[in-house]
Amino acid sequence: MSDAPAPFTADDYRARMARAVESAADAGLAGVLVAPGPDLVHLTGYRPTAITERLTLLVLAVGQDPVLVVPTLEAADAERAAGAAAFTLRDWTDGKDPYDVTAPLLDAHGRFGISDNAWAMHLLGLQRELPNSSYVSLTTALPLLRAVKDASELARLEAAGAAADATYEEIVKVRFSGRRESEVAAELAHLLTQFGHEQVDFTVVGSGPNGASPHHEAGPRVIEEGDMVVLDFGGLKHGYGSDTSRTVHVGAPSAEEQRVHDVVREAQQAAFDAVRPGIACQEVDRVARGIITDAGYGERFIHRTGHGIGVTTHEPPYMIEGELRALVPGMCFSIEPGIYLPGRFGVRIEDIVTVTETGGRRLNTTAREMAIVG
């Protein structure tokens, strides 16, 4: 039996686009302009076969229906998008100026949020056509555009988290000692795919001193008896992300290694316990960082405590000092404190968490105690 969730409907996409327009108006914007990428997938279900120099742009403007501007040669693909019934297509042919088609859809004096990944040539083309218009990045203007997940999105994130957990349960059964990091990473990728991921984004295997680099790319180092090994892996299942980290040890750990792991585990638990609606994102970071600092390792916690997750594995909101936005039920993000001792070892423990009406709920439930591997 397939565990695939029911597909999103045109009404789902229509509601998302309506919320985006409402959020734009609340932010004082005339609308939102969305280039191919995660935002376009989230809002329309449309993922162009290829992203090229030809302009594709979703125009969500206050007071008008959604319009997707596409090259004529890609119009048929766009018509098959899951959300196609919720927008109107405007196509343009090679040899024509796409900005002639797009400009009439925009307020000539308006200020618009535009996808961060929009090509400069397209933004400059709009500015040339509408010199009195202005633009701000969507991450700046509407950072929480995709942050609050509905029940269908949460179900997909739960399925992705369960698949990542199943991957971890299997990987701790394999032999580590005497194998290259790259071999274990390949096995992680295979397991993620086996458990339903259509896309593997990363498989960090940081053994011994390599574990002190948070984004270490698995390489030729042979894992040895006595190594601490940071495992961090994830990708997309049903179009939504997984991301989990556990730190294992080849054989029995030293007293110091166990202590560092215990500090990180305490920090991760405390940060999770702090999650509840209404607190600022930075408070989650402060709780984890405070415990690690009090243990004497503050300077060795060198990254934010967490990041949002959804149709991408890294997106707003971010759990970091200075992020004053409040947690809201339906937000999903990682909690992943770490300690990194250069030239020696590192430890990171990470779960995806969703905000509930009363607190938080983990989407990763594997044991956070240090696993001993062979």
Side-chain angles (χ1 to χ4, degrees), residues 44-333:
T44 69
Y46 178 48
R47 189 189 303 272
T49 303
I51 298 175
T52 70
E53 73 284 357
R54 294 182 174 96
L55 176 72
T56 294
L57 197 69
L58 175 67
V59 178
L60 301 177
V62 175
Q64 69 184 47
D65 292 335
V67 177
L68 181 64
V69 178
V70 296
T72 301
L73 79 169
E74 295 173 4
D77 285 340
E79 287 172 346
R80 290 191 289 269
F87 57 76
T88 300
L89 276 180
R90 294 277 182 90
D91 65 318
W92 60 277
T93 58
D94 282 356
K96 303 294 185 180
D97 187 339
Y99 311 109
D100 285 342
V101 175
T102 310
L105 304 173
L106 308 183
D107 178 349
H109 297 271
R111 183 170 181 262
F112 295 88
I114 189 167
S115 299
D116 292 37
N117 57 334
W119 286 27
M121 65 183 289
H122 299 320
L123 176 58
L124 293 170
L126 291 172
Q127 290 178 320
R128 183 188 68 242
E129 198 74 20
L130 300 171
N132 293 316
S133 62
S134 60
Y135 305 86
V136 61
S137 79
L138 274 182
T139 294
T140 299
L142 301 177
L144 303 184
L145 180 66
R146 307 195 312 262
V148 179
K149 274 61 179 181
D150 61 27
S152 294
E153 291 180 290
L154 278 173
R156 287 163 169 78
L157 285 163
E158 288 168 355
D165 283 356
T167 295
Y168 175 70
E169 296 284 8
E170 291 301 315
I171 203 69
V172 294
K173 299 175 184 176
V174 310
R175 180 173 56 84
F176 279 66
S177 181
R179 301 177 71 198
R180 297 183 188 278
E181 292 174 341
S182 56
E183 293 178 75
V184 177
E187 200 151 353
L188 280 170
H190 171 74
L191 287 166
L192 285 169
T193 302
Q194 178 180 315
F195 289 115
H197 280 61
E198 67 269 11
Q199 177 177 312
V200 176
D201 286 348
F202 48 89
T203 51
V204 172
V205 179
S207 64
N210 289 340
S213 175
H215 284 173
H216 171 70
E217 186 171 345
R221 184 182 186 274
V222 175
I223 301 169
E224 302 172 353
E225 181 79 16
D227 277 348
M228 193 86 89
V229 185
V230 177
L231 305 173
D232 185 351
F233 50 93
L236 299 183
K237 180 176 182 177
H238 305 316
Y240 279 72
S242 69
D243 187 0
T244 189
S245 301
R246 294 290 186 264
T247 303
V248 303
H249 199 277
V250 185
S254 68
E256 182 188 17
E257 288 170 330
Q258 185 65 61
R259 168 174 159 71
V260 170
H261 193 279
D262 288 346
V263 170
V264 173
R265 184 157 63 94
E266 180 186 355
Q268 208 261 358
Q269 180 65 45
F272 169 73
D273 291 340
V275 172
R276 62 184 183 277
I279 72 163
C281 293
Q282 70 176 7
E283 293 303 322
V284 179
D285 181 83
R286 285 178 174 180
V287 168
R289 201 167 299 276
I291 288 173
I292 290 174
T293 298
D294 288 347
Y297 296 102
E299 292 184 358
R300 304 268 58 91
F301 181 11
I302 56 177
H303 55 73
R304 64 198 174 202
T305 293
H307 58 81
I309 191 168
V311 294
T312 61
T313 49
H314 283 207
E315 62 186 45
Y318 298 106
M319 305 302 114
I320 186 63
E321 182 69 28
E323 180 50 85
L324 302 178
R325 293 178 180 84
L327 298 185
V328 175
M331 283 182 174
C332 296
F333 51 86

